[in-house]
Amino acid sequence: MSRATAPRGARPSGWQRVAVIGGGIIGLACAWRLAERGHAVTVFDPDVAGGATHAAAGMLAPASEAVFGQDALLAAGLTGAREWSSFAADLTRVGSEDIELRPHATLLVALDADDEAALARHARHVERRHCPVERLAARSARRLEPALSPRVRAALRLNETAVDPRVVARALAHAVVASGGVVVPLDVEPDVRAGRATGVRARGTGGVRDGQPTGAAGLADEGRAYKADVVVVAAGWASGPLASALAHPVPIRPLKGQVLRLGATPGALTHTVRATVRGREVYIVPRPGGEVVVGATSEDVGEDPTVTAGAVHDLLHDAIEVVPELAEAGLLETTARLRPATADNLPLVGPTCVEGLVLASGHGRAGVLLAPITADAVVAHVEGRPPPRAMEPLAARRLCHKEHA
Ligand code: GLY
């Protein structure tokens, strides 16, 4: 799509007033791309980037995370990963943070014969989708990543990278405002009248707090309602309940992920490492400053945000099994957040059966990877253009034609 942006302060013809519910990486990415094209955008979130974005490891790893039978997600992920280069460059240009994508490959490692067979199947699966994979014997893998356990007996190397979602979210929040958008720390829901979204309204007893930008955001009705041409629901797992204004249920449910942050010697690990230990998947994502993210659980346990002793134990055990020197790292943080999961494991992006109501949620484990291409799809919809082709199977309109549990 054309990347032409409107001059700051100018509104192009056909501009729309857009309310974005949710200030995680998806909502902020949509808001920024809309604002830089001259739309009047307000993001509503009482806890910007405090949800799944706060926990996410930030791997841009469609091939490593590819699952048999989910080709549409893989296709969107591969296009989404390519989209990240220009997204990161544009975001860095706007200002507050360097979002440069550094070369930083992924090693999928095998600890036993079953793992080796699984890696061979995985390699064939992604190669059929034109993803290059390098097969490594144990010695070559350890030469590339000396911190790997001597138990590692083979590996695949994929040319995939990672970003720090906390840094990206900070940069996006800055970029939204720098592009003329507004971020309001308010809990809102879509206002749907006569089958059309007309804006948002404050939830519960909420209102605009302590003179926050009520006037600038255009909130009316004593600070409780905001009129908009388009309402984008990008509220993570809460998007399901929020979009209940639709004529049918929106099947987005919480999928709990527990994640650890360790403090290791900078440079001790230079690849993202993924393995399966005792049937549990673990990933280890190093950041340049020495932080190492270890994740993650995938628990279908409803709205429970508890960090559990068992999950922390398992993640530490499995990470140390693969990279023994992590036993010496500091335990900096334990985090649990809820990802937005869908029944068919595909995100829900685009217009719904309620006029003016757009969904940008249900990204499951791929929210960071798909943030830029989701923003492209939402901008395309707001401007009356078709979305990127890879996003077509993810269209939220598929809900209008199906019965969902
Ligand atoms: N994409 C990694 C995760 O959701 O755990």
Side-chain angles (χ1 to χ4, degrees), residues 3 5 11 16-45 48 87 91 169 171-184 230 232-234 358 360 371-372 374-379 382-383:
R3 276 274 165 248
T5 57
R11 299 261 179 244
Q16 307 255 35
R17 188 182 293 275
V18 185
V20 178
I21 305 180
I25 196 163
I26 298 287
L28 290 171
C30 295
W32 170 48
R33 286 309 205 187
L34 287 163
E36 68 170 4
R37 290 178 66 90
H39 299 286
V41 182
T42 305
V43 179
F44 295 90
D45 194 329
V48 171
F87 186 85
L91 191 51
L172 281 170
H174 171 91
V176 168
V177 175
S179 306
V182 180
V183 180
V184 179
V230 180
V232 179
V233 179
V358 172
T374 295
D376 287 349
V378 167
V379 172
V382 168
E383 297 183 349

Side-chain angles (χ1 to χ4, degrees), residues 59 65 283 296-297 339 364-366:
M59 289 170 290
E65 300 204 312
Y283 55 73
T297 65
R339 310 175 184 90
R365 303 189 68 154

Side-chain angles (χ1 to χ4, degrees), residues 87-88 114 182 224 246 267 282 323 342 347 376-377 398:
F87 186 85
D114 288 348
V182 180
R224 297 187 56 77
L246 297 176
V282 65
V323 178
T342 60
D376 287 349
R398 69 187 189 273

Side-chain angles (χ1 to χ4, degrees), residues 107-108 116-128 131-138 140-141 144 153-158:
L107 292 175
L108 311 187
E116 260 191 277
L119 286 193
R121 283 194 301 275
H122 193 87
R124 286 195 297 275
H125 176 63
V126 298
E127 278 171 338
R128 275 199 291 273
C131 305
V133 177
E134 193 181 346
R135 290 164 174 78
L136 299 172
S140 311
L144 281 176
R153 44 192 285 166
L156 301 180
R157 183 178 182 280
L158 290 98

Side-chain angles (χ1 to χ4, degrees), residues 239-267:
S239 301
L242 273 177
S244 60
L246 297 176
H248 50 73
V250 173
I252 297 175
R253 67 181 198 286
L255 183 65
K256 180 174 168 180
Q258 302 195 52
V259 177
L260 313 177
R261 281 174 167 76
L262 310 181
T265 311

